[in-house]
Amino acid sequence: MLHSLVAPHTISLVQPTFTKGGRYNRRLQFRTVPSAGLSDFIGGDLLWPDLGRWLDDVENHKALAVYSPHEGGYEGRYLTRLRYQGYVFLDLSARGLGDPETTLTKIHPVCPPHLGRQPIARWYFPPEVDYRLNLLPPEAKGLVVWIIEAKVLSKAELQFLALLPSLRPKVRVIAECGNWRKFVWKPLKEIAGLTKEQELRASTTQQT
C-alpha cells in the first residue's frame, strides 16, 4: 500500500478513436504517471532528520541564509526548535529595514508619513538589537534576528548581517534569502562573499 503511494506506476488508458469511415476503434495506451509522495501526507520537513544539524550550524556559523519552499510553513519547525533552546526572536522584514547597520546597532531616525498636511517630523529610535538584548530575561540563551525577504538586500548589507554575531556575541542571524524545493541553509558569509580579512577586522573591533 505504501509502495503504491510513493513509487510511480504504469496505468493503461483506453483512448477511443474514429476512422475515416466512421468506425469506432479503441486503442490501448500505457502511460507512467507520478503518484503522491510520502511528504504529501506527512510533511516534507519530517522526512529530513536534520534538526540536530540545524542547531549545530546555528551555533557554529552564527549567521545562516535559509531557503524554504514556496508554499511556506516548513521554517516554523526550525524556528520552534531554536525557541526550545531558549532563544528570543526579533522578526524583521528586509523591505523597509533601511540600512541594517544603522537600524540594528545605532540610534536611527524615522520620519512618519506627513500625508501632505502635517509638518515633516523626525523621531529617533534606539538600536533594535541592543534594545532587545537589554530586555532579554536572565534565562534566555540569546537573540535570534530572523529577517524575511532578505533576497532584496545588497551584498554589503548581507555582509554586515553575517558580521553581526561577531559584534554582538549573543546574537544569531537567520536570513531568508530565497526559495527551494525543501528547507535548506548555508552559512550567510558564503552567500554574502565575506572574506577572512573582514571577519578578522570585525573580531578586532569587538575586542577593542
Side-chain angles (χ1 to χ4, degrees):
M1 176 67 180
L2 183 62
H3 178 74
S4 63
L5 290 175
V6 177
H9 55 277
T10 302
I11 61 173
S12 58
L13 300 176
V14 178
Q15 181 180 3
T17 58
F18 294 89
T19 62
K20 293 183 178 180
R23 297 180 56 185
Y24 179 75
N25 185 20
R26 293 193 307 172
R27 184 175 58 183
L28 190 62
Q29 290 185 347
F30 295 93
R31 183 181 304 172
T32 302
V33 296
S35 55
L38 187 60
S39 61
D40 297 322
F41 297 93
I42 298 180
D45 53 340
L46 295 180
L47 298 179
W48 299 91
D50 55 358
L51 291 176
R53 184 169 62 89
W54 161 256
L55 296 177
D56 293 339
D57 288 345
V58 170
E59 295 299 330
N60 294 333
H61 300 292
K62 298 181 176 57
L64 297 178
V66 300
Y67 300 84
S68 58
H70 288 274
E71 60 269 20
Y74 294 91
E75 59 273 14
R77 184 170 303 276
Y78 298 86
L79 183 149
T80 304
R81 185 54 61 94
L82 288 177
R83 181 170 289 138
Y84 288 161
Q85 299 298 316
Y87 282 104
V88 178
F89 282 79
L90 172 59
D91 298 323
L92 297 173
S93 175
R95 299 182 185 273
L97 180 62
D99 180 29
E101 182 178 2
T102 303
T103 304
L104 300 179
T105 61
K106 298 179 181 179
I107 297 177
H108 56 282
V110 175
C111 295
H114 55 82
L115 303 179
R117 295 173 179 261
Q118 293 82 10
I120 298 177
R122 177 174 292 181
W123 298 343
Y124 289 87
F125 286 83
E128 293 289 345
V129 168
D130 296 337
Y131 179 72
R132 296 308 196 284
L133 288 176
N134 292 331
L135 296 179
L136 285 180
E139 66 275 7
K141 189 175 182 180
L143 178 69
V144 174
V145 180
W146 194 293
I147 301 179
I148 65 175
E149 298 181 322
K151 59 185 178 182
V152 303
L153 297 177
S154 64
K155 182 178 180 180
E157 293 171 336
L158 291 176
Q159 288 179 353
F160 171 77
L161 293 177
L163 291 174
L164 184 58
S166 301
L167 303 175
R168 305 293 189 269
K170 296 191 68 174
V171 173
R172 303 292 181 265
V173 176
I174 308 296
E176 297 186 13
C177 294
N179 300 100
W180 193 243
R181 297 177 181 175
K182 61 179 182 178
F183 190 87
V184 296
W185 63 87
K186 293 183 179 180
L188 186 56
K189 60 182 180 181
E190 295 182 5
I191 303 300
L194 195 64
T195 61
K196 294 292 185 180
E197 291 77 9
Q198 291 172 314
E199 294 184 60
L200 182 60
R201 192 181 306 115
S203 301
T204 306
T205 304
Q206 175 64 24
Q207 294 176 359
T208 55

